[in-house]
């Protein structure tokens, strides 16, 4: 088959979203995600419930992706799937399904590292979207990840900074929980922050050497701050919600920007590509697009920044072009070498 005729079915099931996408070369024909709302009532992802929901969702989601793309399964050139990192029970659903389908259709099987996919999502061909050039820096920020990666080429990248405890999305969600907001609280903090004063309250930024991050201290500081103020005024949260959210968001953004500044200084690279659910945050987007520091920033379409299968498909396509295939002995990996 010629390279201009590559059709990839991509499957992502690393955490709590069951997703499938069909790509024609580097263009997305369909990108379907079934979110698992069941976790909202527990304030976080429950692994066993996630695996069960993947089992229920995977066939309808793949079916919908093929139908929307108007592609028959016999036309597929390869099956790409998320090998890890992620929750083992969740990964197993996508991996097993992908292995079976590749055997049944007699097409190659491609294993994709979920973190590489968040970064390479920038190479999905979209009209009007400028792709970064190698080398660039990728900031991956979500509920599960916080990393700065130096990306030298499609398959050569190195982590130069990462969180030593909570991910930045957890910092948003746990702060929101302290304020009594429902899970996931990140988008709500963003919403209230828009009406608030970011300088109303000062939270100390953690002192972490180099390019690594730490967010657990901030969460504790916020908890003590709220407890103390509620003792003096039981309505403290209600009366100051916008200002509290704006101040928390401001502190988190400053932590990220400080590390990016250092990464640019250390590497001399000024192209910054962001990915992960937290890149939906309006404060972060505003700060990065203001171009205060002379950086060129890349922010993909929202549906390609949160967990999705199109990003798995674009890595699948690149791997297909360089014949990086797996045998059916391939296994899911909860932790995976970057
Ligand atoms: O990438 P994602 O959908 O899933 C993974 O965690 O892999 O990211 C979800 C995270 C959650 O922590 C959520 O609160 C956060 O992204 N998030 C936001 C916003 N939208 C989503 N955080 C801050 N501001 C937002 N607008
Ligand atoms: Zn992710």
């Amino acid at each position: 088959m010629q390279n201009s005729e590559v059709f990839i079915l991509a499957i992502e099931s690393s955490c709590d979203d069951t997703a499938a996408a069909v790509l024609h070369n580097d263009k997305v024909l369909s990108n379907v995600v079934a979110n698992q709302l069941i976790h909202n009532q527990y304030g976080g992802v429950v692994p066993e419930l996630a695996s069960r929901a993947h089992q229920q969702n995977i066939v309808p989601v793949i079916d919908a992706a093929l139908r929307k793309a108007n592609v028959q399964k016999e036309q597929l050139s390869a099956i790409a799937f998320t090998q890890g990192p992620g929750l083992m029970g969740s990964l197993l659903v996508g991996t097993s399904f992908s292995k079976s389908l590749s055997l049944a259709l007699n097409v190659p099987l491609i294993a994709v590292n979920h973190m590489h996919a968040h970064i390479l999502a920038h190479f999905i061909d979209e009209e009007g979207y400028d792709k970064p050039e190698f080398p660039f820096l990728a900031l991956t920020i979500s509920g599960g990840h916080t990393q700065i990666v130096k990306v030298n080429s499609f398959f050569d990248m190195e982590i130069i900074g990462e969180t030593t405890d909570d991910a930045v999305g957890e910092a948003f969600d746990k702060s929101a929980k302290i304020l009594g907001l429902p899970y996931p609280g990140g988008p709500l903090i963003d919403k209230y922050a828009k009406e608030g004063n970011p300088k109303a309250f000062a939270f100390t930024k953690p002192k972490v050497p180099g390019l690594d991050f730490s967010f657990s201290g901030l969460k504790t500081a916020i908890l003590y701050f709220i407890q103390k103020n509620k003792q003096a005024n039981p309505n403290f949260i209600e009366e100051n919600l916008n200002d509290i959210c704006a101040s928390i968001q401001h502190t988190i953004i400053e932590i990220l920007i400080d590390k990016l500044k250092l990464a640019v200084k250390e590497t001399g690279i000024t192209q910054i590509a962001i990915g992960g659910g937290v890149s939906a945050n309006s404060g972060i987007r505003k700060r990065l697009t203001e171009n205060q520091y002379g950086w060129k920033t890349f922010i993909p379409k929202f549906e390609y920044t949160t967990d999705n299968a199109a990003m798995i498909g674009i890595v699948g396509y690149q791997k297909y072009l360089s014949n990086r295939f797996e045998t059916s002995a391939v296994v899911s990996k909860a932790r995976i070498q970057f």
Side-chain angles (χ1 to χ4, degrees):
M1 187 170 284
Q2 285 180 354
N3 285 344
S4 59
E5 290 295 329
V6 180
F7 288 96
I8 305 273
L9 170 68
I11 298 171
E12 149 68 31
S13 70
S14 63
C15 189
D16 61 337
D17 295 315
T18 320
V22 177
L23 273 76
H24 179 209
N25 300 336
D26 55 357
K27 286 195 166 53
V28 176
L29 300 181
S30 64
N31 187 29
V32 179
V33 185
N35 304 114
Q36 302 180 359
L37 300 177
I38 177 108
H39 307 286
N40 292 7
Q41 57 191 287
Y42 298 98
V45 176
V46 184
E48 174 62 18
L49 296 182
S51 320
R52 292 183 204 174
H54 283 306
Q55 294 264 39
Q56 287 180 339
N57 293 342
I58 194 151
V59 171
V61 164
I62 291 172
D63 198 43
L66 286 167
R67 263 189 292 113
K68 278 194 183 172
N70 201 16
V71 167
Q72 305 298 313
K73 55 185 185 307
E74 292 74 22
Q75 286 174 266
L76 295 173
S77 317
I79 314 294
F81 70 97
T82 305
Q83 184 181 19
L87 301 170
M88 184 49 93
S90 292
L91 289 165
L92 274 171
V93 179
T95 305
S96 314
F97 194 94
S98 302
K99 281 197 210 184
S100 316
L101 193 57
S102 100
L103 275 172
L105 298 174
N106 196 24
V107 293
L109 183 62
I110 300 170
V112 175
N113 179 319
H114 180 92
M115 298 312 298
H116 290 186
H118 269 302
I119 293 166
L120 298 178
H122 293 272
F123 292 90
I124 291 171
D125 192 51
E126 283 278 316
E127 220 177 294
Y129 188 75
D130 235 8
K131 299 180 179 81
E133 280 167 24
F134 299 115
F136 64 91
L137 296 176
L139 175 70
T140 313
I141 42 177
S142 77
H145 341 284
T146 308
Q147 289 182 334
I148 303 180
V149 177
K150 181 166 172 270
V151 190
N152 301 315
S153 72
F154 284 114
F155 304 114
D156 175 15
M157 38 183 114
E158 51 185 305
I159 300 170
I160 56 174
E162 64 187 330
T163 184
T164 53
D165 42 55
D166 290 350
V168 62
E170 283 180 283
F172 272 106
D173 296 339
K174 289 179 179 175
S175 305
K177 196 173 175 186
I178 295 168
L179 301 177
L181 301 173
Y183 174 86
L188 292 170
I189 295 208
D190 189 4
K191 182 179 143 200
Y192 295 119
K194 284 186 186 133
E195 311 296 325
N197 172 9
K199 303 263 170 70
F201 306 107
F203 298 107
T204 324
K205 289 190 277 182
K207 290 185 183 56
V208 189
L211 295 173
D212 285 342
F213 299 90
S214 166
F215 289 102
S216 68
L218 178 65
K219 173 192 64 193
T220 314
I222 292 166
L223 179 66
Y224 290 156
F225 167 82
I226 295 294
Q227 282 175 344
K228 197 175 110 215
N229 281 285
K230 270 183 83 171
Q231 269 173 7
N233 171 12
N235 297 325
F236 177 73
I237 295 179
E238 292 74 12
E239 287 169 14
N240 297 280
L241 188 59
N242 294 344
D243 285 348
I244 300 170
C245 289
S247 302
I248 293 172
Q249 181 166 304
H250 174 73
T251 311
I252 294 176
I253 295 174
E254 287 309 306
I255 294 170
L256 296 173
I257 295 287
D258 282 355
K259 293 293 178 173
L260 278 180
K261 280 195 214 162
L262 188 59
V264 169
K265 196 172 158 208
E266 285 189 3
T267 61
I269 298 170
T270 54
Q271 289 186 92
I272 317 267
I274 65 167
V278 180
S279 54
N281 184 270
S282 59
I284 292 171
R285 285 178 170 247
K286 186 161 173 283
R287 195 65 196 278
L288 285 174
T289 45
E290 275 169 356
N291 196 18
Q292 253 174 296
Y293 311 105
W295 303 340
K296 185 162 186 201
T297 52
F298 300 84
I299 310 178
K301 251 168 84 173
F302 181 64
E303 59 178 302
Y304 301 145
T305 68
T306 56
D307 285 353
N308 69 88
M311 68 180 193
I312 305 300
I314 194 71
V315 183
Y317 174 63
Q318 289 300 333
K319 285 196 155 187
Y320 184 90
L321 295 183
S322 51
N323 290 313
R324 291 166 194 249
F325 302 132
E326 306 295 332
T327 68
S328 56
V330 65
V331 290
S332 307
K333 291 187 173 165
R335 287 165 184 271
I336 191 168
Q337 185 83 32
F338 193 78

